[in-house]
Amino acid sequence: MDDVEKVVAITGASSGIGEATARLLARSGAVVALGARRTQRLEALAAELRDQGGTVSVHRTDVTSRADVDEFIQATAKEFGRLDVLVANAGIARTAPLADLDVEGWDAMIEVNLRGVLHGIAAALPLFRAQGRGHFVTVVSTSGLKIVSNQAVYAGTKNAVRTVLEALRQESTEGVLRTTSISPGYVRTELADHIDDPALREHIQRNMAELAIAPEAVARAIAFAIDQPDDVEIGDLTIRPTRQG
Ligand code: NDP
């Protein structure tokens, strides 16, 4: 597979930022492995990208399952001979005030946003070390940078991931591994559609409609980080709407 640019596995590739990233990378010559639970959407995206000459694989992956994520990474490396980048993008936002005690929502965010990324690290780190090369990209959030109400646990999971990636960077200075944390602000995706509280959902959807930027803007930032030479690491990138406070 030396004639292709990179082999990139993307979690949460069935919509939003993951889908836009898969499109951009595939069109620029990367091999993309698509992971998510909604395989019909992955298959539709894969068909579109293959029609345009792309090389794509589809994997039903629930990132809360360590076995699923292991299988995703191992199958991708086996099929394409290596894995260059894991974009650990899958995430959910169950936005609510803490006083609502949506403990189920807290657990779900911890499972997907934090444990899901840790499963990715557990699956890909040994492979990257064996290859002598690899790149972890995570999609965190500006809500971890500017703390706002109703997003405590969501922001907490994103800042936990940021912390893990920085520690991973410090533990990997022998030049094998690159780590990148991408922090988007409001991006026009399906993320807010899953908020339970109708008033909050509408509030965030309104903000999204007024402010949000296209997922392609985040995809470009991810591609920029990936495209750097092996000795250049883009550690943190923030991409937000110009008008976001
Ligand atoms: P979307 O809701 O459009 O996409 C979320 C993706 O995550 C979907 O592909 C979904 O796939 C996947 N996903 C959710 N749960 C799981 C799971 N258990 N296992 C595997 N995949 C899962 O939202 P975005 O594109 O906006 O979200 C992508 C990332 O960007 C998230 O980490 C989010 O926190 C982050 N982000 C988004 C912002 C925004 O304003 N939109 C701002 C800052 C950060 P499926 O349901 O098919 O499994």
Side-chain angles (χ1 to χ4, degrees):
M1 299 297 300
D2 282 346
D3 53 333
V4 298
E5 221 169 274
K6 291 257 163 78
V7 179
V8 184
I10 305 168
T11 66
S14 58
S15 63
I17 292 168
E19 179 181 355
T21 302
R23 274 209 181 86
L24 180 63
L25 294 178
R27 284 176 186 159
S28 50
V31 169
V32 289
L34 312 176
R37 294 164 305 173
R38 290 172 294 173
T39 46
Q40 278 192 335
R41 291 180 63 149
L42 296 182
E43 293 290 1
L45 176 60
E48 174 198 318
L49 298 178
R50 286 181 190 127
D51 279 352
Q52 297 164 2
T55 305
V56 188
S57 62
V58 165
H59 307 259
R60 196 212 171 268
T61 310
D62 183 336
V63 296
T64 67
S65 156
R66 185 173 176 195
D68 272 18
V69 180
D70 274 345
E71 171 64 21
F72 179 36
I73 298 303
Q74 296 309 325
T76 302
K78 191 170 175 203
E79 181 172 1
F80 302 117
R82 63 173 202 271
L83 176 70
D84 298 300
V85 186
L86 171 61
V87 181
N89 159 77
I92 56 170
R94 295 273 295 266
T95 304
L98 286 166
D100 280 5
L101 298 185
D102 177 19
V103 178
E104 196 193 305
W106 303 348
D107 288 344
M109 285 186 282
I110 292 166
E111 285 297 311
V112 177
N113 301 357
L114 176 56
R115 203 186 300 280
V117 174
L118 293 173
H119 286 158
I121 292 172
L125 187 55
L127 177 70
F128 287 167
R129 288 205 182 285
Q131 292 177 164
R133 161 173 215 267
H135 190 171
F136 285 107
V137 178
T138 57
V139 181
V140 287
S141 174
T142 55
S143 62
L145 298 172
K146 180 183 175 188
I147 307 303
V148 292
S149 52
N150 304 327
Q151 299 196 356
V153 178
Y154 176 72
T157 61
K158 295 300 187 180
N159 275 348
V161 168
R162 201 189 305 279
T163 303
V164 168
L165 263 247
E166 173 57 15
L168 188 56
R169 186 190 74 76
Q170 292 189 25
E171 292 173 15
S172 315
T173 51
E174 71 284 356
V176 168
L177 210 66
R178 293 191 295 162
T179 60
T180 303
S181 290
I182 305 279
S183 298
Y186 281 121
V187 184
R188 208 173 305 116
T189 69
E190 298 171 18
L191 193 70
D193 301 355
H194 308 291
I195 296 170
D196 288 332
D197 181 319
L200 257 178
R201 185 172 60 242
E202 277 161 36
H203 172 72
I204 295 196
Q205 284 173 332
R206 221 177 12 255
N207 273 348
M208 290 258 198
E210 281 172 21
L211 269 184
I213 51 176
E216 287 74 19
V218 184
R220 286 194 297 275
I222 293 172
F224 172 75
I226 290 175
D227 283 348
Q228 299 302 311
D230 276 354
D231 62 342
V232 177
E233 179 181 66
I234 304 293
D236 295 276
L237 272 178
T238 301
I239 305 97
R240 59 164 81 82
T242 312
R243 291 167 53 238
Q244 182 175 330

